[in-house]
Amino acid sequence: MAWQEYINVQQPRFVEELLEFVRIPSVSAKPENAGDVQRAAEWVVERLARAGIEGAEVLPTDGHPVVCAEWMGAGPDKPTVLIYGHFDVQPAEPFDLWTTPPFEPEVRDNKVWGRGASDDKGGMMVPILAVEAMLATQGKLPVNVKFFFEGQEEIGSPDLPPFVRANADRLKADMIFSADGLQWAPGQPQIVEALKGLISLEVHVQGPRGDLHSGLHGGGVANPAIALAQIIASMKSPDGAITIDGFYDDVVELSAEVREAIARVPFDEADYLAETGAPATSGEPGFSTRERLWGRPTLDVNGLSSGWQGAGTKTVLPAEASAKITCRLVANQSPETIYDLIEAHVAAHCPAGVTARVTRNPGRADPFLVPSGHNATAVATQVLEDVYGRAPYRTRAGGSIPVMTTLLETLGVHAVMFGFSHDDENLHAPDEFFRLDAFRIGQIAYCQLLETLGRS
Amino acid sequence: MAWQEYINVQQPRFVEELLEFVRIPSVSAKPENAGDVQRAAEWVVERLARAGIEGAEVLPTDGHPVVCAEWMGAGPDKPTVLIYGHFDVQPAEPFDLWTTPPFEPEVRDNKVWGRGASDDKGGMMVPILAVEAMLATQGKLPVNVKFFFEGQEEIGSPDLPPFVRANADRLKADMIFSADGLQWAPGQPQIVEALKGLISLEVHVQGPRGDLHSGLHGGGVANPAIALAQIIASMKSPDGAITIDGFYDDVVELSAEVREAIARVPFDEADYLAETGAPATSGEPGFSTRERLWGRPTLDVNGLSSGWQGAGTKTVLPAEASAKITCRLVANQSPETIYDLIEAHVAAHCPAGVTARVTRNPGRADPFLVPSGHNATAVATQVLEDVYGRAPYRTRAGGSIPVMTTLLETLGVHAVMFGFSHDDENLHAPDEFFRLDAFRIGQIAYCQLLETLGRS
């Protein structure tokens, strides 16, 4: 029997198993569900064993556990592929907005409805089932495969970096694929080439010791809220370019070829404005909206705070003012360098009569850009084209996925996102669902991916 | 007996009466004390009668009452003087910070300690006692005198403008003196020549319909917090001058003579910085700190609000941002004109990609400047110099006193502040006190004032 036929025949059982997996409320954010996260890890180990992967283990971290497993039977001449996914899920609240209870999943309209069905329980089962199909029909895999599943993705994987560093040998691989990823739309695959990095900071401006009466002291001492406005305004030109000295220095410019690839992905400006409700798109000149969203670094003020914010008037000259700022970085910007540049900028642009300081918040992430011509990406692209009959869009994301950076930094390998969820599947909202078509197509795609990698 | 002797002889009784007056907890801000405010008004009527002023009346307003009285026996050839004061007091909380209970006044260190002793019960008794001394010793006054005392000064005199408009004939006078005022320091009188006006407004900047994910939308649409910062920054040059077109157009410039008068009033920059805790003085170039505080219009941001203000990072691109702004105006700026100029400025400086609107808050006040050579001021200056043996400082105040504007607008007369409190007397704080020396000197000064006015 070919793996294709196995997948077709076993699909009803696979769906039942997905329902069983979704029934475990492995909410990593809620301490009372810690036992469920552990139970989900154990379920994964059993499921791997059923797929023919022996020796899978639940391994502890300082928080929720991880699951590691490997099948190294292809031998040292064949590449080793690491597949990543996660078995924890988002909280399901508010429960009353669900059509059916989040942890009592059911099948409707050829979709599985339940918390985690799409993110990422369905997604992470896909490569396990693909491996089962190949092992069951051929007794072996075309390449060596390692599995690395975690239980804390939805809370930002706080304990993952030390675990990966401590287990770098165990996780060592030639290529990494993340089963936690999205396709562009049903029938339209994508390859995510880049993710943005992130830094978060606060600018604090201090004027007088305490709030002063604006009538008695206005005109005598500088106003920290105005000084903060002047500092922020100095960071961006009126046309939207960031004016912090050196900010763009390390940016990998978008090549003509990359800009063409971005332009091939449909983008409707009117739809985008209707979605966001903004009166106009806006940003750095010289780039399309999508180029800015995907390929250019940004600086946003996330919050402003100063003085009186209640109703009506309070004639106060505030003692202090502060702004929360995040920057999204692109390759090859370094979070540390950008922090330093912003700190220098604030020092150079602090008006007379106040003092300003910058504090750095936790949560920095390096930008992630798959090198042009990267082998795993090329193979994944070809497989997706074969499976869908359409070339995948080459996309980028404005968000950060810290685990991608962790794997790159520690293992030295650029992960390729190879997942089959869709962003309309209510991933972090009530009525999450996973398309069963995508579940099956994903299994086929993973089999083809392993086969193609085995031939190369 | 001369009035001087009468004042000396009767002083112990006057002090007892002040204690009696202070015992009435006429807190205008607290509804439960409304009866006490009424009681204080009745006490004033009785006290006026005891001074020889018949026909004093408690008159209703839409809020706390006022007291009106007059002595017109000097005849139509003599000027009519209106004397203003207030019999309501600030709340006394927190009670436990008072050395002795706020409404059980006592004399210590030749001071009366209690809520309202200085602001303004002691102050407003001074002219009543002066009039008593003259009537008791001479049977008449050198000029016609009207009294106008109110019971809602500490809550902003909301019902005063309609009352004054409706009773303009009754209050009509050639000169107005306010017994609610400060001397510079013990032994050093002052004449307040100007008060600043006030406008209050808010600038609201709207970007997208709701808060957006800064990773998904940063660089796509404009950031309202940055736009707000740009708008605010556009209102002031880095050196502190206000850059709103036309803002200074109607300002009465400080003459060389006025600047000299201001420079004669001691000002210690180091003391001022120690008091405010600001790292440096700062403001419009070309003027001394005190000239800016007293004689130049100002623009202050009183509050900033946008997006996430809690702890840590929230990667949000906020939907909106707002700033509260007050301007202190000087003669002859008009609140309406300045509102219009700011609105036009915001419209002209709103960056692309957001919308901005200005809302006008209640509480506007016209600036107040006693005209140069004003007769009542000249007389008051001479009297203070005679009484103290020192020329009064010519000062200005950054704050607004709405009743001064109301009296000017309705009666067409610039009031002269002629009061004997001091700003170290804990006017709105626990342990308020009034110097008994100033109480007595004030009575002498008011007698001399009326005598001098009667001669001119």
Side-chain angles (χ1 to χ4, degrees):
Chain A
M1 190 191 285
W3 55 258
Q4 289 86 344
E5 194 185 341
Y6 184 91
I7 285 175
N8 282 340
V9 170
Q10 300 297 331
Q11 208 57 217
R13 175 170 62 90
F14 290 172
V15 172
E16 284 308 314
E17 290 172 337
L18 174 55
L19 295 175
E20 184 182 308
F21 194 16
V22 172
R23 274 184 210 111
I24 306 171
S26 49
V27 179
S28 50
K30 302 176 74 174
E32 61 267 39
N33 291 108
D36 298 310
V37 178
Q38 176 74 26
R39 201 146 58 83
E42 287 158 8
W43 189 93
V44 172
V45 167
E46 276 171 45
R47 188 63 195 79
L48 284 163
R50 215 177 311 149
I53 308 291
E54 304 299 330
E57 284 184 282
V58 177
L59 295 169
T61 73
D62 283 345
H64 298 299
V66 300
V67 171
C68 288
E70 60 184 47
W71 186 94
M72 301 298 283
D77 293 345
K78 293 290 182 184
T80 299
V81 171
L82 178 73
I83 296 171
Y84 163 87
H86 65 92
F87 50 83
D88 65 318
V89 300
Q90 279 277 316
E93 286 80 359
F95 283 80
D96 57 349
L97 295 186
W98 288 77
T99 305
T100 50
F103 300 111
E104 298 171 29
E106 61 173 59
V107 177
R108 295 193 306 273
D109 301 333
N110 206 32
K111 296 158 185 156
V112 170
W113 300 78
R115 170 55 83 229
S118 175
D119 181 17
D120 179 40
K121 285 178 171 171
M124 66 158 279
M125 276 187 72
V126 161
I128 299 175
L129 302 177
V131 161
E132 172 177 318
M134 296 192 107
L135 286 174
T137 55
Q138 303 171 359
K140 64 185 176 65
L141 302 176
V143 293
N144 301 301
V145 173
K146 293 181 176 179
F147 290 102
F148 176 49
F149 298 122
E150 63 153 319
Q152 46 183 256
E153 197 273 344
E154 300 293 3
I155 53 171
S157 308
D159 307 302
L160 219 62
F163 179 89
V164 173
R165 277 193 293 274
N167 292 274
D169 275 350
R170 176 175 207 146
L171 297 171
K172 193 167 177 296
D174 300 300
M175 297 173 199
I176 304 175
F177 293 91
S178 167
D180 183 28
L182 300 176
Q183 288 309 313
W184 182 259
Q188 176 59 56
Q190 71 175 337
I191 286 287
V192 180
E193 292 188 326
L195 302 167
K196 287 186 179 173
L198 176 70
I199 62 169
S200 170
L201 57 99
E202 292 180 33
V203 180
H204 305 270
V205 176
Q206 177 81 39
R209 191 185 309 110
D211 290 356
L212 298 177
H213 188 288
S214 72
L216 297 181
H217 298 284
V221 300
N223 182 302
I226 296 177
L228 177 69
Q230 292 170 327
I231 291 171
I232 293 171
S234 74
M235 293 179 172
K236 270 200 182 177
S237 70
D239 65 8
I242 295 163
T243 47
I244 292 162
D245 240 17
F247 187 86
Y248 294 110
D249 282 1
D250 296 332
V251 168
V252 175
E253 293 297 330
L254 299 173
S255 67
E257 188 261 336
V258 167
R259 298 180 83 160
E260 260 170 52
I262 292 175
R264 272 198 295 272
V265 185
F267 180 72
D268 187 313
E269 192 110 345
D271 283 355
Y272 182 69
L273 291 179
E275 176 199 340
T276 58
T281 57
S282 178
E284 192 188 358
F287 297 93
S288 71
T289 300
R290 181 149 268 161
E291 285 170 352
R292 296 193 310 266
L293 289 168
W294 285 2
R296 298 295 297 175
T298 60
L299 180 151
D300 272 291
V301 170
N302 314 114
L304 287 177
S305 185
S306 181
W308 175 244
Q309 301 186 41
T313 303
K314 189 170 178 187
T315 54
V316 71
L317 194 164
E320 48 196 356
S322 64
K324 288 178 187 276
I325 293 178
T326 49
C327 292
R328 301 286 172 166
L329 309 181
V330 303
N332 291 324
Q333 290 178 300
S334 130
E336 289 308 314
T337 305
I338 300 297
Y339 270 134
D340 292 345
L341 292 176
I342 293 177
E343 221 162 84
H345 181 94
V346 169
H349 289 79
C350 179
V354 299
T355 56
R357 70 195 164 85
V358 172
T359 56
R360 304 178 180 198
N361 286 336
R364 66 200 68 179
D366 283 298
F368 181 90
L369 174 66
V370 176
S372 150
H374 183 250
N375 183 39
T377 302
V379 172
T381 301
Q382 187 56 53
V383 167
L384 289 174
E385 183 160 0
D386 291 348
V387 168
Y388 283 92
R390 295 179 67 114
Y393 290 149
R394 287 165 56 184
T395 68
R396 295 171 176 229
S400 309
I401 305 184
V403 69
M404 305 287 274
T405 307
T406 300
L407 294 171
L408 174 61
E409 277 176 358
T410 315
L411 307 179
V413 181
H414 278 92
V416 176
M417 296 174 80
F418 201 74
F420 297 87
S421 297
H422 295 83
D423 70 2
D424 65 352
E425 290 172 345
N426 300 322
L427 302 193
H428 289 190
D431 277 348
E432 179 175 347
F433 68 90
F434 191 39
R435 289 175 167 86
L436 287 178
D437 275 349
F439 190 49
R440 191 180 47 80
I441 288 170
Q443 295 159 34
I444 295 166
Y446 261 98
C447 286
Q448 292 204 13
L449 182 73
L450 299 182
E451 273 188 350
T452 309
L453 293 171
R455 277 198 300 272
S456 59
Chain B
M1 189 190 283
W3 56 257
Q4 289 86 344
E5 192 185 343
Y6 185 90
I7 285 175
N8 284 338
V9 171
Q10 300 297 330
Q11 209 55 218
R13 176 170 60 88
F14 291 170
V15 173
E16 283 308 313
E17 288 171 338
L18 174 54
L19 296 175
E20 183 183 309
F21 195 16
V22 172
R23 273 183 210 112
I24 306 172
S26 49
V27 179
S28 50
K30 301 177 76 174
E32 62 267 37
N33 290 109
D36 297 310
V37 178
Q38 175 74 27
R39 201 148 58 84
E42 288 157 8
W43 190 93
V44 172
V45 166
E46 275 170 46
R47 189 62 195 80
L48 284 163
R50 212 178 311 150
I53 308 290
E54 303 301 328
E57 283 184 285
V58 178
L59 295 169
T61 72
D62 282 345
H64 297 299
V66 300
V67 169
C68 287
E70 59 183 47
W71 186 93
M72 302 298 284
D77 294 344
K78 293 291 182 184
T80 299
V81 171
L82 178 75
I83 296 171
Y84 163 88
H86 65 91
F87 50 83
D88 64 317
V89 301
Q90 279 277 318
E93 286 79 358
F95 283 79
D96 57 349
L97 295 186
W98 288 76
T99 305
T100 50
F103 300 111
E104 298 171 28
E106 60 172 59
V107 177
R108 295 193 305 275
D109 300 332
N110 206 30
K111 296 159 187 156
V112 170
W113 299 79
R115 169 56 82 229
S118 175
D119 182 16
D120 178 40
K121 285 179 170 170
M124 65 160 277
M125 275 187 72
V126 162
I128 299 176
L129 303 176
V131 162
E132 173 177 318
M134 296 192 106
L135 286 174
T137 55
Q138 304 172 356
K140 63 184 175 67
L141 301 177
V143 293
N144 301 301
V145 173
K146 293 180 176 182
F147 289 102
F148 177 47
F149 298 123
E150 63 153 319
Q152 45 183 258
E153 197 273 344
E154 299 295 2
I155 54 171
S157 309
D159 307 303
L160 219 62
F163 180 89
V164 173
R165 276 193 295 273
N167 293 273
D169 275 350
R170 176 172 207 148
L171 298 171
K172 194 167 176 299
D174 300 300
M175 299 173 196
I176 304 175
F177 293 91
S178 168
D180 184 28
L182 300 176
Q183 288 309 312
W184 183 259
Q188 176 60 57
Q190 71 175 336
I191 286 286
V192 180
E193 292 189 324
L195 302 166
K196 286 186 179 173
L198 176 69
I199 62 169
S200 169
L201 57 99
E202 293 180 34
V203 179
H204 305 270
V205 176
Q206 177 80 39
R209 192 185 308 111
D211 289 357
L212 298 176
H213 187 288
S214 73
L216 297 181
H217 297 285
V221 300
N223 183 303
I226 296 177
L228 178 68
Q230 291 170 326
I231 291 171
I232 293 170
S234 74
M235 293 179 173
K236 270 200 182 176
S237 70
D239 64 9
I242 296 164
T243 48
I244 293 162
D245 240 18
F247 187 86
Y248 293 110
D249 281 1
D250 296 331
V251 168
V252 175
E253 293 297 329
L254 299 173
S255 66
E257 187 263 336
V258 167
R259 298 180 83 159
E260 260 170 52
I262 292 175
R264 272 197 295 270
V265 184
F267 180 73
D268 186 313
E269 192 110 345
D271 282 355
Y272 181 70
L273 291 179
E275 176 199 341
T276 59
T281 57
S282 178
E284 191 188 359
F287 298 93
S288 71
T289 300
R290 181 149 268 163
E291 285 170 351
R292 297 194 309 268
L293 289 168
W294 284 1
R296 297 296 297 174
T298 60
L299 181 150
D300 272 291
V301 170
N302 314 115
L304 287 177
S305 184
S306 180
W308 176 243
Q309 301 186 40
T313 303
K314 189 170 179 187
T315 55
V316 72
L317 193 163
E320 48 196 354
S322 64
K324 289 177 187 278
I325 294 178
T326 48
C327 292
R328 301 286 172 165
L329 309 181
V330 302
N332 289 322
Q333 290 178 302
S334 130
E336 290 307 315
T337 305
I338 300 298
Y339 270 134
D340 291 345
L341 293 176
I342 292 177
E343 220 161 85
H345 180 94
V346 169
H349 290 79
C350 178
V354 298
T355 56
R357 69 195 164 85
V358 172
T359 55
R360 304 178 181 199
N361 285 337
R364 68 199 65 180
D366 284 298
F368 181 91
L369 174 65
V370 176
S372 150
H374 184 249
N375 182 39
T377 303
V379 173
T381 301
Q382 186 56 54
V383 167
L384 289 173
E385 183 160 359
D386 290 347
V387 168
Y388 283 92
R390 293 181 68 115
Y393 290 151
R394 288 166 53 186
T395 66
R396 295 172 176 229
S400 309
I401 304 184
V403 69
M404 304 289 271
T405 307
T406 300
L407 294 172
L408 174 60
E409 277 176 359
T410 315
L411 307 180
V413 180
H414 278 91
V416 175
M417 296 173 79
F418 200 74
F420 298 87
S421 297
H422 295 83
D423 70 1
D424 65 351
E425 290 172 346
N426 300 322
L427 302 193
H428 290 190
D431 277 348
E432 179 176 348
F433 67 90
F434 190 39
R435 289 175 167 86
L436 287 177
D437 276 349
F439 189 49
R440 192 180 47 80
I441 289 170
Q443 295 159 32
I444 295 167
Y446 261 98
C447 286
Q448 291 205 12
L449 182 72
L450 299 182
E451 272 189 350
T452 309
L453 293 171
R455 278 198 299 272
S456 59

